[in-house]
Amino acid sequence: SQQGEEDPQALSIQEGENATMNCSYKTSINNLQWYRQNSGRGLVHLILIRSNEREKHSGRLRVTLDTSKKSSSLLITASRAADTASYFCAQIQGAQKLVFGQGTRLTINP
Amino acid sequence: GAGVSQSPSNKVTEKGKDVELRCDPISGHTALYWYRQSLGQGLEFLIYFQGNSAPDKSGLPSDRFSAERTGGSVSTLTIQRTQQEDSAVYLCASTRDGNLPLHFGNGTRLTVT
């Protein structure tokens, strides 16, 4: 079964705007990870946030984690055409099984 | 260094045939995962290997699917008597520690005709 779900399923914005994607999960976590997938490629790790962290930054990426609501958000600021991709959150389920949500398909329009 | 390598990158097979998909993880990575991704969908967990421990096979969809990891390195995913619903991209990933980020290969696109 899926551990997390992303919202929205698809997002289309203009270049330069900010993009926000959300992830909800069901059980307690040690950490939550965000990945990007360009069309026809494997996933690339973006950022990992631990359960005792509330916010983390990496370049134009900002991730927040609310363990009380079992949710996380990924914000991409000043979006670029190259940010067009699918974005997935992932969490450990059980011992070591990393499970992914269905993803958010982000399209940046020039 | 080299990343996770998967072969073949594309495989077309006839329904009923067996296929083997190969994954070469990053050297030194003890954890290896297989996932399946149908067109436009998320990743479906298939199987997880960690060192010499018994693999977590809880995601394998049927007994037609099996995987092995020889010598703690290369892994093969075997699908017997392929069906059209097996058509998908099969992704392999590895990591040094199951709690660390995964490194993915570019996948094998399997088409069953």
Side-chain angles (χ1 to χ4, degrees):
Chain A
S1 62
Q2 299 289 1
Q3 166 71 320
E5 293 297 332
E6 289 88 349
D7 170 64
Q9 291 186 350
L11 179 62
S12 181
I13 61 174
Q14 295 299 120
E15 193 167 17
E17 293 180 339
N18 296 341
T20 299
M21 290 158 273
N22 302 297
C23 169
S24 59
Y25 57 93
K26 298 175 183 176
T27 61
S28 62
I29 59 171
N30 290 326
N31 64 61
L32 184 142
Q33 303 175 30
W34 284 91
Y35 290 78
R36 182 187 72 220
Q37 183 180 35
N38 291 93
S39 180
R41 308 284 288 182
L43 279 71
V44 174
H45 175 256
L46 294 176
I47 198 164
L48 180 153
I49 186 165
R50 302 189 189 284
S51 60
N52 60 353
E53 298 176 309
R54 291 296 169 260
E55 187 171 310
K56 200 162 184 180
H57 296 254
S58 177
R60 294 183 296 112
L61 305 181
R62 172 179 168 245
V63 167
T64 62
L65 179 64
D66 187 335
T67 53
S68 66
K69 295 181 179 178
K70 292 186 170 58
S71 67
S72 174
S73 67
L74 170 66
L75 168 67
I76 303 174
T77 60
S79 62
R80 305 168 181 170
D83 295 329
T84 293
S86 291
Y87 292 81
F88 296 87
C89 66
Q91 312 87 28
I92 298 287
Q93 183 179 80
Q96 297 286 3
K97 184 167 70 177
L98 191 64
V99 294
F100 290 78
Q102 293 296 306
T104 292
R105 293 187 305 279
L106 176 64
T107 302
I108 308 300
N109 302 303
Chain B
V4 177
S5 177
Q6 291 188 246
S7 61
S9 55
N10 284 282
K11 176 71 176 179
V12 180
T13 190
E14 292 181 351
K15 177 181 173 180
K17 294 288 179 68
D18 298 351
V19 294
E20 277 193 359
L21 312 180
R22 177 186 170 105
C23 173
D24 283 272
I26 293 173
S27 178
H29 281 192
T30 58
L32 186 148
Y33 294 76
W34 282 98
Y35 293 90
R36 178 169 70 175
Q37 186 177 32
S38 299
L39 186 63
Q41 299 297 309
L43 274 69
E44 176 187 4
F45 169 83
L46 297 178
I47 188 169
Y48 163 69
F49 297 90
Q50 171 61 2
N52 296 321
S53 302
D56 180 345
K57 304 179 181 180
S58 60
L60 295 178
S62 77
D63 59 9
R64 296 186 296 105
F65 288 72
S66 64
E68 64 177 21
R69 188 177 185 192
T70 54
S73 181
V74 171
S75 178
T76 56
L77 176 68
T78 301
I79 308 173
Q80 296 178 310
R81 305 182 301 282
T82 52
Q83 303 294 313
Q84 288 186 331
E85 60 262 29
D86 299 335
S87 296
V89 175
Y90 290 81
L91 291 162
C92 175
S94 71
T95 183
R96 282 199 310 275
D97 180 305
N99 282 306
L100 295 178
L102 301 187
H103 298 259
F104 279 83
N106 284 327
T108 293
R109 181 176 298 279
L110 175 66
T111 303
V112 182
T113 61

